[in-house]
Amino acid sequence: MSEPEVIRLDKWLWTARFFKTRKLAAEAISGGKVHVNDQRAKPGKEVKTGVALSISKDNYRWDIRITGINGQRRSAKEAVLLYEESPESLAKREQQIIQNREQRELFDFSAKDHKPNKKERRLIHRFKQG
């Protein structure tokens, strides 16, 4: 059985393992978190190889180009082969991960036995916003 040449955007995001379910993928697309060739799209938009996607999820951003299409969801090792990420996007996301890790170590609230007070909540909100 040959692989399809075009596939729905929500299904491709699900098969490439960006989202756990197609419903979550469709909600992200409808919410403007996914752009196709720098344009907002609908979940039913058909995509093919060579299309550029911009995906925002959990305060991270991927700028990718579709290199393959799978009709079914497979292992994560195979899912990584379906797209190619730009080096700038990868470097920026890795920098964000390192920065978030440092921030978590700096504000380790798990050792405390109380809810965050007003000052701590403000720090948490400031960290999450930017």
Side-chain angles (χ1 to χ4, degrees), residues 16-116:
R17 294 187 170 262
F18 280 99
F19 296 95
K20 277 189 172 185
T21 64
R22 280 183 64 182
K23 182 178 180 186
L24 290 174
E27 288 173 357
I29 297 165
S30 299
K33 304 287 186 196
V34 179
H35 290 78
V36 178
N37 294 328
D38 296 326
Q39 299 283 318
R40 281 188 71 160
K42 292 184 177 179
K45 168 95 172 143
E46 290 191 340
V47 294
K48 57 185 176 182
T49 57
V51 172
L53 295 180
S54 175
I55 304 164
S56 299
K57 181 184 170 197
D58 299 332
N59 295 326
Y60 296 113
R61 184 183 171 105
W62 289 263
D63 292 321
I64 62 171
R65 184 162 301 282
I66 297 176
T67 58
I69 293 177
N70 250 347
Q72 295 178 322
R73 187 172 167 115
R74 299 209 175 106
S75 70
K77 289 179 183 177
E78 290 182 48
V80 174
L81 303 175
L82 297 178
Y83 60 90
E84 183 178 279
E85 185 173 8
S86 68
E88 300 86 23
S89 170
L90 182 63
K92 186 175 180 181
R93 203 174 70 256
E94 286 176 347
Q95 184 64 32
Q96 271 186 308
I97 291 169
I98 292 168
Q99 189 177 21
N100 287 347
R101 192 175 297 135
E102 290 172 352
Q103 289 286 344
R104 257 186 269 121
E105 291 170 2
L106 191 64
F107 297 108
D108 185 22
F109 294 114
S110 62
K112 297 180 181 180
D113 292 320
H114 70 282
K115 294 191 321 190

